[in-house]
Amino acid sequence: GAPFCYTPWAAWLCFWGYVFRVGAITTSYHRQLTHKSFKTEKWLEHALAIPAVLAVQGHPIEWCSNHRHHHAHCDKEVDPHSPYDGFYWSHMGWLFDSKTQMLLFDTSNVADLKKDEFYQFLKTIYLNITIAQPILMFLLGGFPAMCWGYALSTVISWHITWSVNSVSHIWGN
């Protein structure tokens, strides 16, 4: 339904929802929590993780563990989303594979995040946040806001994130 419920307001929500989600994932989950590329006061670190949760890509413990597994075995057979298994696999196929998902249940590589009560709390409420978002969008602007501001911007942000696994690792370095 996105084409059939277009409004300029809904498109605005979609654009800024996408920018917000990808920016939050990149800054918090990827750069700060996974790679420790920069350090902030703990309250700011936690504050940056909240919008990343809104990207609907998993809670911080799950996302960072997955990404650390990837970097531990980057572009090798045991890489959870290895490009050697094909474009579809590295883009999103790995998400539906039970063997890969079992590997990702091993969160021993994120002991730093697991001991943080705030990240444990986000893990506990992650599903509630995920369910609340489309409801909030609906309340803000009806079905067009929910469709464009939540669903479409979420799906676009997923594919942009997954393109790093597929496009960048197949044709890049």
Side-chain angles (χ1 to χ4, degrees), residues 28-158:
S28 176
Y29 283 12
H30 187 234
R31 289 284 156 219
Q32 185 169 38
L33 298 180
T34 300
H35 292 298
K36 305 289 185 191
S37 298
F38 66 95
K39 191 165 179 62
T40 61
E41 296 290 330
K42 196 51 102 169
W43 69 267
L44 182 55
E45 176 186 306
H46 290 163
L48 290 171
I50 294 168
V53 169
L54 301 177
V56 195
Q57 293 187 21
H59 54 79
I61 293 169
E62 174 186 29
W63 198 100
C64 296
S65 176
N66 171 346
H67 201 67
R68 287 179 185 177
H69 280 296
H70 162 68
H71 275 282
H73 310 286
C74 194
D75 297 347
K76 298 199 173 48
E77 180 110 7
V78 293
D79 180 347
H81 34 76
S82 172
Y84 295 110
D85 294 322
F87 182 87
Y88 173 76
W89 176 266
S90 62
H91 190 72
M92 63 189 274
W94 63 276
L95 291 163
F96 307 108
D97 180 67
S98 59
K99 183 177 162 190
T100 302
Q101 292 307 310
M102 289 307 293
L103 165 70
L104 299 178
F105 281 120
D106 171 17
T107 58
S108 60
N109 61 354
V110 285
D112 56 323
L113 300 178
K114 286 169 55 176
K115 70 181 180 183
D116 189 308
E117 290 180 17
F118 182 74
Y119 297 125
Q120 289 292 347
F121 173 70
L122 288 180
K123 178 181 177 181
T124 303
I125 65 166
Y126 178 74
L127 184 59
N128 296 337
I129 292 171
T130 301
I131 292 168
Q133 283 185 86
I135 294 168
L136 178 62
M137 284 294 165
F138 185 81
L139 294 173
L140 281 173
F143 187 73
M146 185 177 72
C147 185
W148 283 75
Y150 174 74
L152 190 59
S153 70
T154 299
V155 170
I156 291 169
S157 71
W158 286 345

Side-chain angles (χ1 to χ4, degrees), residues 1-18 21 137 140-154 156:
F4 304 106
C5 64
Y6 170 84
T7 67
W9 166 247
W12 184 88
L13 284 173
C14 180
F15 174 77
W16 287 109
Y18 159 77
R21 286 180 167 95
M137 284 294 165
L140 281 173
F143 187 73
M146 185 177 72
C147 185
W148 283 75
Y150 174 74
L152 190 59
S153 70
T154 299
I156 291 169

